[in-house]
Amino acid sequence: MKSLKSIKNWTLTKSLKNNNFSFKRNYVLRFVPSLLLTNAFKSISSWKNYKPTPLLKLDKLQKNLKLKNVFYKDESKRFHLKSFKALGGAYAVEKISKGKKNIIISSATAGNHGRSVAWGAKRLGLKCKIFVSQYVSDTRVKEIKKFGAEVIRVKGDYENSLNECKKLSKKNNWKIVQDVSTKDYKLVPQLTMAGYSIMIKEISKQTNQYITHIFLQAGVGGMAAGVVTGVAKYFKRIPKIIIVEPDRADCVLQSIKHNKLKKIKIKKESIMGGMSCNEMSYIPWQILKKTSNCCVSVSDRNIAKTVAMLKDKKLSKNSIIGGECSAPGIMSLVGVCNNTKIKKIIELNENSNVLVIGCEGNADVKLYKQLLSKGRK
Ligand SMILES: Cc1ncc(COP(=O)(O)O)c(C=O)c1O
């Protein structure tokens, strides 16, 4: 495999400064109230096997990029679900079911959210129906079934699976636990985001360095907005927020650009499956339109290389298992460092303490193996 030198050529597809930026803690916590965040931490930290995920340092990368620190929050170690999503769906199931045992939970998913919901239902002894599109891999389906959920495959994309989930849930009186919010569907997504904010609560205790920049992967924007709520509540200083998306699914970038929620057309699915979304969730839009400093997009090109570099200790002294959605955090940091203009705009320099989120491990074991072997060539 190529050495770290090869990252000199890595580029962003697009970058955009958010001209409407204005980070106000009170504004953010209006959408996901502080008490929800407190309660999420209280509940989840009392679950069996809870422990904070590691905050690692990509010491070799930070040296190469001439940054003070590059921290990597390793969500591959989140319970045994291998992604930050364990904090969201499973918590929402607990809150929504309110101790009842005779309800059936349902959800549509690109993989990780459904796995979290299925796990959450199993923890509480509830039945669960998970809807997936034709693009969700068999490996991911198998992982969901492991938690006893029934998986229903729907022809077409994520939206089709969501529509089918809504239709059957209404007919059968199943309780939908969806992480995507609309104007009329807010509580479950709020609970989910409150769960995600735990990553920031943990980080606030794991380092005494002030984080200056956070690179956040986005699909519908739930993870990014959840992290931002955590920043608003737990961080003493507000870092710069950079949103990264697949260039084939840049719905956040397009929405920020046009200053309104934009639905885009995905011509070809990105390998970053969990981030391949065509429209932002409503509350994340409200939050990110004010709190993101800039949006960038990356192609699939360097995903496999980044996965291999993480595993083969090219970026740090630790060997890290980071999947296809973990890679873009690092790729976009590198892309920004290779782009003088945007680097200057976000004031990224030798004093910067950067945080990237390793949002998943080998959640799709088969795809992970393929990426690793491709990236090592
Ligand atoms: C591993 C991983 N990272 C990031 C995302 C994007 O999160 P969101 O859709 O909340 O923006 C997802 C979504 O499923 C995911 O599974």
Side-chain angles (χ1 to χ4, degrees):
M1 192 188 66
K2 284 180 193 151
S3 76
L4 204 52
K5 277 188 195 137
S6 65
I7 67 173
K8 272 272 166 272
N9 304 321
W10 290 13
T11 54
L12 304 169
T13 308
K14 280 192 185 142
S15 59
L16 177 86
K17 182 176 171 239
N18 179 11
N19 291 324
N20 296 311
F21 172 83
S22 165
F23 197 123
K24 296 208 170 61
R25 292 177 199 263
N26 287 349
Y27 172 84
V28 173
L29 296 172
R30 231 169 52 211
F31 293 99
V32 186
S34 184
L35 187 62
L36 283 194
L37 273 62
T38 307
N39 289 343
F41 182 69
K42 253 193 218 156
S43 294
I44 295 173
S45 61
S46 72
W47 291 356
K48 192 173 161 221
N49 294 330
Y50 167 79
K51 59 176 190 303
T53 52
L55 183 68
L56 305 172
K57 238 191 236 186
L58 302 184
D59 47 345
K60 295 179 186 170
L61 181 69
Q62 82 198 20
K63 196 165 163 221
N64 181 287
L65 298 177
K66 299 191 176 63
L67 300 167
K68 189 169 170 200
N69 283 296
V70 177
F71 294 104
Y72 180 96
K73 184 71 170 156
D74 184 7
E75 290 297 306
S76 72
K77 301 281 195 300
R78 187 60 73 183
F79 294 103
H80 51 293
L81 291 210
K82 304 180 186 174
S83 106
F84 74 96
K85 293 256 166 176
L87 296 168
Y91 174 59
V93 170
E94 183 174 290
K95 294 296 284 183
I96 290 299
S97 57
K98 294 183 189 144
K100 290 187 202 135
K101 293 288 171 205
N102 56 348
I103 57 170
I104 297 178
I105 301 290
S106 65
S107 188
T109 185
N112 287 331
H113 170 69
R115 192 171 175 175
S116 179
V117 169
W119 176 59
K122 184 169 190 244
R123 279 184 62 241
L124 303 171
L126 305 173
K127 282 199 180 126
C128 183
K129 317 264 180 188
I130 301 289
F131 292 75
V132 298
S133 79
Q134 68 187 61
Y135 300 109
V136 175
S137 73
D138 288 338
T139 324
R140 286 197 184 265
V141 166
K142 230 170 84 208
E143 291 293 336
I144 296 169
K145 283 185 176 166
K146 266 190 201 164
F147 297 120
E150 183 189 340
V151 178
I152 297 127
R153 256 208 203 274
V154 180
K155 221 170 156 218
D157 60 10
Y158 169 79
E159 213 169 335
N160 294 66
S161 65
L162 178 59
N163 288 339
E164 187 67 10
C165 173
K166 281 182 182 161
K167 200 174 94 192
L168 288 185
S169 299
K170 194 167 174 202
K171 192 170 149 204
N172 296 303
N173 201 21
W174 301 335
K175 283 248 176 260
I176 302 188
V177 174
Q178 211 51 52
D179 55 348
V180 184
S181 66
T182 60
K183 272 188 183 156
D184 323 309
Y185 186 77
K186 293 199 187 111
L187 178 62
V188 171
Q190 280 173 319
L191 294 169
T192 313
M193 285 181 269
Y196 298 161
S197 74
I198 285 182
M199 288 189 275
I200 293 297
K201 163 88 175 162
E202 291 172 355
I203 291 168
S204 70
K205 301 268 181 277
Q206 287 174 311
T207 175
N208 53 14
Q209 299 278 334
Y210 288 112
I211 302 292
T212 57
H213 298 77
I214 313 185
F215 285 73
L216 291 169
Q217 293 89 324
V220 300
M223 182 187 94
V227 165
V228 167
T229 63
V231 165
K233 182 173 167 75
Y234 300 115
F235 273 6
K236 291 203 176 77
R237 297 186 194 172
I238 303 297
K240 300 256 185 323
I241 303 291
I242 299 101
I243 305 293
V244 53
E245 293 173 283
D247 53 10
R248 294 174 184 163
D250 59 351
C251 62
V252 180
L253 188 146
Q254 294 300 337
S255 299
I256 300 267
K257 184 174 173 185
H258 295 95
N259 198 23
K260 67 170 196 217
L261 259 183
K262 272 268 172 194
K263 193 167 179 173
I264 59 154
K265 226 183 163 59
I266 297 178
K267 295 196 188 100
K268 194 170 172 233
E269 294 285 331
S270 161
I271 200 154
M272 300 167 243
M275 299 164 64
S276 189
C277 303
N278 69 346
E279 191 179 16
M280 286 186 77
S281 176
Y282 180 73
I283 296 179
W285 161 241
Q286 298 297 338
I287 293 176
L288 297 178
K289 71 178 179 185
K290 291 284 182 197
T291 56
S292 55
N293 293 81
C294 90
C295 298
V296 301
S297 63
V298 291
S299 73
D300 284 0
R301 198 181 321 129
N302 295 315
I303 297 279
K305 272 186 219 155
T306 309
V307 166
M309 282 179 166
L310 277 168
K311 175 77 177 140
D312 296 336
K313 303 185 189 175
K314 301 282 175 194
L315 305 176
S316 62
K317 58 177 178 294
N318 314 72
S319 172
I320 301 171
I321 300 177
E324 65 278 10
C325 286
S326 285
I330 294 163
M331 287 155 50
S332 56
L333 169 62
V334 172
V336 166
C337 286
N338 291 338
N339 182 324
T340 326
K341 192 175 152 208
I342 198 85
K343 193 176 172 197
K344 204 166 162 202
I345 288 176
I346 62 165
E347 298 166 16
L348 191 65
N349 55 45
E350 67 282 2
N351 300 316
S352 299
N353 292 317
V354 176
L355 170 65
V356 293
I357 308 285
C359 52
E360 68 177 343
N362 56 347
D364 183 334
V365 178
K366 196 171 154 202
L367 177 61
Y368 179 79
K369 279 189 189 149
Q370 284 166 2
L371 290 171
L372 198 55
S373 101
K374 189 175 163 208
R376 281 172 170 165
K377 279 183 191 144

